[in-house]
Amino acid sequence: MANIPMLNLRREYEYMKQEIDNAINKCLEHQQWILGPEVKELEDKIARYFNVRHCIGVSSGTDALVLSLRALAIKTKNQEYFDKNDLIITPSFTFTATGDAILRSGATPLFVDIDPATFNIEPEQIKRCMKSMLKRKKSKIIGIIPVHLFGQSCLMDEILKIAKEFNLFIIEDVAQAFGGLWKNKKLGTYGITGCFSFFPSKNLGGFGDGGMVSTDDDELASLIRMLLKHGGKDKYNVDHIGYNARLDTLQSAILLAKLKYVDEFNEKRRRIAEIYNNEFKDIKMIKTPSVYPDAHHVYHQYTIRVKDGKRDKLMQFLKEKGISTMVYYPSPLHKMKVFDGRCVAFGELKETEKACAEVLSLPIEPLMKEVEIFTVTSAVNEFFRS
Ligand SMILES: *Cc1c(COP(=O)(O)O)cnc(C)c1O
């Protein structure tokens, strides 16, 4: 039996062991665990990589979103939190943290349906939503959080146009798309902030939780820097309701070592996706991922659709052959208890619910061996032949 996990972090560690061990050893020597030199070095390196004015290390991707939203409430409303009547457009087909961050900032998520071909939020739906919601007197749409799901950019031209027309902010959820591009410009540089996650399984992952905010806005950057250490310029001079949400020195050191490989690994992911696409092209029962012509997909996940209710059977078949798969996501946010009575859904979100029933993500480990890739593709082909 094969043994093919979704991701093989052990193999990735072996691939760059010396550099990671050296980075950790350096920290053991200097013992500056909180906001040590590696944090600033990582922030500066990634700011150069994205060509932005500020990158701010934070404790997770979720905190990157929460801090961005809180800083924006302080900057634009002179309030610690947004109000419940402040609506923020986002997809319901995403990880729970996207919606959760909106709730924690005091605002209300307004869920809009997705493009069935790419799983990303559908700009046509956002437009329709804007028109229909304009009639509401009590609530006001203030912003959009597009999620670049599975490593692929949203249709940013159209989203930017809508944001401009209706004076909405854009905060990008780039947790799954580090290094991804829209028209040759890095994701995370289109919004007022970009929010990244260094959760171990992400395209750039640490050995624990971590995250980062990218921004060109000096005021937001300084507010986020205050919020991540208790809300003050220093410990004894506190202005805002803050958090303890710093990025660890140790994580920064590990991420600095891994950053050198992120483009190479994204290319490897793209190569695996290409093989999968080619090997699955004759299977009528599955739909391989569609890519927008202007998007450079970095395949955080390789997610297919399986038709006619066969998804769970395929999953079980592959499991019996030792091939791991995952369903991202089995439940849309608007069906979760936490969002019950705390969100607004625009329309029925039919495509979102359909995607939850059909999606299946296959192993896409950058260091997958050719024989492993073809073990997956032959097993999938075998399932649909029988
Ligand atoms: C992982 C993820 C987050 C949250 O990141 P954490 O670092 O786990 O807090 C947010 N949004 C999306 C789309 C994610 O995939």
Side-chain angles (χ1 to χ4, degrees), residues 60-62 94-95 97-98 147 173 175-176 197 199 202 210 329:
S60 69
T62 309
T94 176
F95 182 55
T98 317
V147 180
D173 183 336
Q176 301 188 3
S197 166
F199 186 83
K202 302 288 161 92
Y329 293 93

Side-chain angles (χ1 to χ4, degrees), residues 318-332:
L318 294 174
K319 189 178 168 197
E320 279 159 20
K321 289 192 170 288
I323 299 166
S324 304
T325 57
M326 292 288 264
V327 175
Y328 298 117
Y329 293 93
S331 170

Side-chain angles (χ1 to χ4, degrees), residues 59-65 93-99 101 147-150 173-177 195-202 208-212 300 329:
S59 46
S60 69
T62 309
D63 288 327
L65 289 161
F93 192 66
T94 176
F95 182 55
T96 176
T98 317
V147 180
H148 305 301
L149 204 70
F150 301 147
D173 183 336
V174 210
Q176 301 188 3
C195 300
F196 296 88
S197 166
F198 302 135
F199 186 83
S201 67
K202 302 288 161 92
D209 282 305
M212 186 157 277
H300 172 61
Y329 293 93

Side-chain angles (χ1 to χ4, degrees), residues 219-262:
E219 189 181 349
L220 284 181
S222 99
L223 283 166
I224 290 165
R225 283 207 189 278
M226 283 165 80
L227 290 173
L228 71 87
K229 36 185 187 192
H230 306 289
K233 292 202 176 67
D234 63 65
K235 267 190 226 173
Y236 309 106
N237 186 10
V238 175
D239 295 342
H240 299 291
I241 304 169
Y243 306 83
N244 182 350
R246 293 171 291 235
L247 178 63
D248 270 339
T249 303
L250 193 57
Q251 294 306 334
S252 305
I254 292 160
L255 289 161
L256 272 168
K258 291 188 77 175
L259 180 63
K260 289 181 208 136
Y261 294 92
V262 73

Side-chain angles (χ1 to χ4, degrees), residues 335-382:
K335 292 273 162 117
M336 290 186 191
K337 190 176 165 198
V338 61
F339 294 103
D340 189 18
R342 300 193 178 108
C343 72
V344 179
F346 176 66
E348 291 178 54
L349 306 180
K350 276 198 185 121
E351 293 300 343
T352 297
E353 291 184 18
K354 201 166 160 221
C356 290
E358 292 185 346
V359 287
L360 189 66
S361 298
L362 304 179
I364 189 150
E365 159 55 52
L367 299 178
M368 248 172 128
K369 298 181 176 116
E370 200 127 293
V371 50
E372 294 170 323
I373 303 170
F374 286 106
T375 302
V376 175
T377 60
S378 0
V380 172
N381 271 290
E382 187 189 333

Side-chain angles (χ1 to χ4, degrees), residues 297-323:
H297 198 324
V298 290
Y299 292 97
H300 172 61
Q301 298 296 342
Y302 181 90
T303 303
I304 59 171
R305 270 177 189 272
V306 189
K307 291 176 195 156
D308 295 349
K310 291 236 163 41
R311 192 261 315 268
D312 294 348
K313 285 198 191 79
L314 173 61
M315 200 176 181
Q316 184 59 31
F317 180 84
L318 294 174
K319 189 178 168 197
E320 279 159 20
K321 289 192 170 288
I323 299 166

